[in-house]
């Protein structure tokens, strides 16, 4: 009992001494031991690493889960060390609604058939998103959290100990200074000087030891950067895989829809829209790429029932020509078509009776049919 009371009194005395030293330093009434420039640089780098890791972690969580309520729920499950329940992604929910709509509105109608196709694609997109979130959480978010909740807490603890050791050291220096001043006034040897010098030696030893421990931990931030760099590469790899899967699913869907759109909306003109990728279709058996759109033969340049126009005899109209930028490379299927190179500019125009999916294109002294879906018409 007496031992515990003495220990509590000693701890209270140390705390009071540190508080006094800290306060006097703030008011400029006491000297403060400064750390070397390299140590201060290590401290600044550690603080910066911690702050940016927190920001990157929080924003990545927002990227993977935009719903704040869902993020709070996942946080609580994590703190309770319980498995987060499986959650349906937005894409999977949209797929479910589309499938149910097709069933009710008629799965054999053109609209119902399209809903079913789109629903299947959205289902695949939702599954790909789920895999991406899972992979990114393990390979990227977890290492960042481990640093903040593990390594950083250890560094913070040792830094607090170093601060206390520095306060003890500076308080010992102040006591020794006062003892020497009192001895000089008394003109005799004061036992307090020996005691103060002994306390200073002990305080200096403890400070130096703690400074070395803290320095080693701060230098370990370099290893943290290397680890986070590896995790960042893995995050980008998973993100690349996710978007590649989405792209493939949408290409498949575009191909399916393109094969049926012509039968539902024949002659639809879509040349003013700029697609995100080369258009897909399965209507042409003659082109080198079976999925690329193909137009009519040269005979289709003339109205039905009239003789086919010879391409070299076709003259551009007096008005109505436009400039167009080529979006994708196109290989001519025959002599009636004009081969295209991406990003080049050509002159285009239409003739009466032409299929609206095609235009006449001119580049220098060359002329031929070009598919509208490969062009961006310029004003």
């Amino acid at each position: 009992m007496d031992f515990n009371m003495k220990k509590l009194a000693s701890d209270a005395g140390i705390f009071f001494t540190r508080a006094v030293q800290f306060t006097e330093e703030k008011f400029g009434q006491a000297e403060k031991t400064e750390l070397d420039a390299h140590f201060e640089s290590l401290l600044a780098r550690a603080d910066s690493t911690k702050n940016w890791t927190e920001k990157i972690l929080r924003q990545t969580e927002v990227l993977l889960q935009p719903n704040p309520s869902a993020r709070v729920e996942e946080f609580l499950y994590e703190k309770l060390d319980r498995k987060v329940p499986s959650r349906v992604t937005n894409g999977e929910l949209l797929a479910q609604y589309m499938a149910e709509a097709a069933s009710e509105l008629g799965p054999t109608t053109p609209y119902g058939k399209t809903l079913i196709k789109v629903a299947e694609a959205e289902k695949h997109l939702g599954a790909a998103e789920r895999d991406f979130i899972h992979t990114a959480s393990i390979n990227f978010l977890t290492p960042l959290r481990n640093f903040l909740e593990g390594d950083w807490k250890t560094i913070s603890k040792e830094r607090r100990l170093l601060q206390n050791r520095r306060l003890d050291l500076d308080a010992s220096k102040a006591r020794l200074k006062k003892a020497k001043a009192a001895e000089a006034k008394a003109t005799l040897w004061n036992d307090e000087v020996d005691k103060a010098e002994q306390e200073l030696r002990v305080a200096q030893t403890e400070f130096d030891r703690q400074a070395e421990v803290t320095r080693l931990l701060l230098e370990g931030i370099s290893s943290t950067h290397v680890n986070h760099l590896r995790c960042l590469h893995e995050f980008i790899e998973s993100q690349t895989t996710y978007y590649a899967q989405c792209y493939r699913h949408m290409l498949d869907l575009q191909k399916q829809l393109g094969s049926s759109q012509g039968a539902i909306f024949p002659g639809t003109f879509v040349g003013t829209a700029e697609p995100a990728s080369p258009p897909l279709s399965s209507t042409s058996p003659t082109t080198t790429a079976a999925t690329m759109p193909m137009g009519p033969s040269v005979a289709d340049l003339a109205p039905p029932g009239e003789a086919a126009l010879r391409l070299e005899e076709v003259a551009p109209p007096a008005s109505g020509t436009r400039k167009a930028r080529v979006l994708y490379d196109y290989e001519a299927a025959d002599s009636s078509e004009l081969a295209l190179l991406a990003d080049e500019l050509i002159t285009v125009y239409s003739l009466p009776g032409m299929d609206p999916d095609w235009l006449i294109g001119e580049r220098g002294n060359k002329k031929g049919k070009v598919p509208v879906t490969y062009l961006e018409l310029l004003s």
Side-chain angles (χ1 to χ4, degrees), residues 11-27 29-30 163-164 166-168 171 175:
D11 291 343
I14 293 174
F15 176 80
F16 178 76
T17 302
R18 290 170 179 169
V20 171
Q21 177 67 26
F22 182 80
T23 304
E24 290 180 349
E25 289 175 357
K26 288 296 182 182
F27 286 99
Q29 299 174 354
Q163 172 75 345
N164 290 337
R166 187 196 62 75
L167 291 172
D168 293 342
R175 282 195 296 270

Side-chain angles (χ1 to χ4, degrees), residues 209-356:
R209 183 187 300 114
Q210 185 59 41
E212 184 62 25
V213 171
T214 307
R215 184 192 300 273
L216 291 175
L217 288 173
L218 293 175
E219 290 175 346
I221 291 293
S222 297
S223 299
T224 299
H225 288 182
V226 173
N227 182 44
H228 288 183
L229 175 62
R230 178 183 57 80
C231 296
L232 183 59
H233 277 286
E234 292 180 353
F235 173 70
I236 295 304
E237 184 67 26
S238 62
Q239 200 171 31
T240 302
T241 301
Y242 166 60
Y243 286 122
Q245 290 174 342
C246 293
Y247 180 70
R248 287 196 298 271
H249 292 317
M250 294 312 297
L251 280 183
D252 291 341
L253 176 62
Q254 189 181 38
K255 180 178 179 180
Q256 295 178 46
L257 298 183
S259 62
S260 58
Q261 184 179 5
I264 302 173
F265 304 109
T268 302
F269 184 80
V270 294
T272 57
E274 182 177 353
S277 59
L280 300 175
S281 174
S282 58
T283 58
S284 174
T286 58
T287 184
T288 55
T291 58
M292 297 301 174
M294 285 296 297
S297 63
V298 180
D300 290 325
L301 296 176
E306 299 182 10
L309 294 177
R310 299 182 61 184
L311 200 59
E312 60 271 14
E313 298 176 355
V314 174
S319 62
T321 61
R322 297 179 65 176
K323 289 292 184 180
R325 182 175 69 87
V326 179
L327 298 176
Y328 322 103
D329 292 347
Y330 178 74
E331 183 178 349
D334 53 47
S335 60
S336 69
E337 297 180 2
L338 180 66
L340 302 174
L341 294 176
D343 293 327
E344 69 175 337
L345 293 177
I346 62 173
T347 300
V348 295
Y349 52 88
S350 181
L351 295 176
M354 278 191 67
D355 188 307

Side-chain angles (χ1 to χ4, degrees), residues 37 63 86 89 95 118 125 131 136 157 166 173 192 202 205 231 233 257 273 293 321 329 344 347 378:
L63 172 69
S86 178
T89 64
V118 177
L125 292 177
D131 292 341
K157 176 184 175 183
R166 187 196 62 75
K173 290 179 179 179
E192 290 298 322
V202 173
T205 301
C231 296
H233 277 286
L257 298 183
T321 61
D329 292 347
E344 69 175 337
T347 300
L378 305 177

